Coordinates of all heavy atoms in Angstrom, one line a residue:
K270 N 121.3 93.3 47.3 CA 120.6 94.6 47.0 C 121.6 95.5 46.4 O 122.1 96.4 47.1 CB 120.0 95.1 48.3 CG 118.9 96.2 48.1 CD 118.4 96.8 49.3 CE 117.4 96.0 50.1 NZ 116.8 96.8 51.2
P271 N 121.8 95.4 45.1 CA 122.9 96.2 44.4 C 122.5 97.7 44.3 O 121.3 98.0 44.5 CB 123.1 95.6 43.1 CG 121.7 95.0 42.8 CD 121.2 94.5 44.1
E272 N 123.5 98.5 44.1 CA 123.2 100.0 43.8 C 122.4 100.1 42.5 O 121.3 100.6 42.5 CB 124.5 100.7 43.7 CG 125.3 100.9 45.0 CD 124.5 101.8 46.0 OE1 124.0 102.8 45.6 OE2 124.4 101.3 47.2
R273 N 123.1 99.6 41.4 CA 122.4 99.6 40.1 C 121.8 98.2 39.9 O 122.3 97.2 40.4 CB 123.4 99.9 39.0 CG 123.9 101.3 38.9 CD 125.2 101.4 38.2 NE 125.2 100.9 36.8 CZ 124.8 101.7 35.8 NH1 124.4 103.0 36.0 NH2 124.8 101.2 34.6
T274 N 120.6 98.2 39.2 CA 120.0 96.9 39.0 C 120.9 96.0 38.2 O 121.5 96.3 37.2 CB 118.7 97.2 38.2 OG1 117.8 97.9 39.0 CG2 118.0 95.9 37.7
S275 N 121.0 94.7 38.7 CA 121.7 93.7 38.0 C 120.8 93.0 37.1 O 119.7 92.7 37.4 CB 122.2 92.7 39.0 OG 123.1 93.3 40.0
C276 N 121.4 92.6 35.9 CA 120.6 91.9 34.9 C 121.5 90.8 34.3 O 122.7 91.0 34.1 CB 120.1 92.8 33.8 SG 119.4 92.1 32.4
C277 N 120.9 89.6 34.0 CA 121.6 88.6 33.2 C 120.7 88.1 32.2 O 119.6 87.5 32.5 CB 122.0 87.5 34.2 SG 122.7 86.0 33.3
I278 N 121.1 88.3 30.9 CA 120.2 87.9 29.8 C 120.9 86.8 29.0 O 122.1 86.9 28.7 CB 119.9 89.1 28.8 CG1 119.3 88.6 27.5 CG2 121.1 89.9 28.5 CD1 117.9 88.9 27.3
L279 N 120.2 85.6 28.9 CA 120.7 84.4 28.3 C 119.9 84.2 27.0 O 118.7 83.9 27.1 CB 120.7 83.3 29.3 CG 121.4 83.5 30.6 CD1 121.3 82.4 31.6 CD2 122.9 83.8 30.4
V280 N 120.6 84.3 25.9 CA 119.9 84.2 24.6 C 120.2 83.0 23.8 O 121.2 82.3 24.0 CB 120.1 85.5 23.8 CG1 119.5 86.7 24.4 CG2 121.6 85.7 23.6
D281 N 119.3 82.8 22.9 CA 119.3 81.6 21.9 C 119.8 82.2 20.6 O 120.0 83.4 20.4 CB 117.9 81.1 21.8 CG 117.7 80.0 20.8 OD1 118.7 79.2 20.6 OD2 116.6 79.9 20.3
K282 N 120.1 81.3 19.6 CA 120.3 81.7 18.2 C 121.6 82.5 17.9 O 121.8 82.9 16.8 CB 119.1 82.5 17.6 CG 117.8 81.7 17.7 CD 117.7 80.7 16.6 CE 116.3 80.1 16.5 NZ 116.1 79.0 17.5
E283 N 122.5 82.6 18.9 CA 123.7 83.4 18.6 C 124.5 82.7 17.5 O 125.1 83.4 16.7 CB 124.6 83.5 19.9 CG 125.7 84.5 19.8 CD 127.0 84.0 19.1 OE1 127.2 82.8 19.0 OE2 127.8 84.8 18.6
E284 N 124.6 81.4 17.5 CA 125.4 80.7 16.5 C 124.9 80.8 15.1 O 125.6 80.4 14.2 CB 125.5 79.2 16.9 CG 126.2 78.9 18.3 CD 127.7 79.3 18.3 OE1 128.2 79.7 17.2 OE2 128.3 79.2 19.3
I285 N 123.7 81.3 14.9 CA 123.2 81.5 13.6 C 122.8 83.0 13.3 O 121.9 83.3 12.5 CB 122.0 80.6 13.2 CG1 120.8 80.7 14.2 CG2 122.5 79.1 13.2 CD1 119.6 80.1 13.7
G286 N 123.5 83.9 14.1 CA 123.3 85.3 13.8 C 122.4 86.1 14.7 O 122.0 87.2 14.5
S287 N 122.0 85.5 15.9 CA 121.2 86.1 16.9 C 119.8 86.6 16.4 O 119.3 87.6 16.9 CB 122.0 87.3 17.5 OG 123.1 86.9 18.1
V288 N 119.3 86.0 15.4 CA 118.1 86.4 14.7 C 116.9 85.7 15.4 O 117.0 84.8 16.2 CB 118.1 86.0 13.2 CG1 119.1 86.9 12.5 CG2 118.5 84.5 13.1
G289 N 115.7 86.1 15.0 CA 114.5 85.5 15.5 C 114.0 85.9 16.9 O 114.7 86.7 17.6
A290 N 112.9 85.5 17.3 CA 112.2 85.9 18.5 C 113.1 85.7 19.8 O 113.0 86.4 20.8 CB 110.8 85.3 18.7

Side-chain angles (χ1 to χ4, degrees):
K270 197 188 276 186
E272 288 296 314
R273 288 157 61 84
T274 293
S275 301
C276 170
C277 173
I278 168 108
L279 303 176
V280 291
D281 178 29
K282 300 281 188 282
E283 193 276 342
E284 296 294 356
I285 56 166
S287 297
V288 288

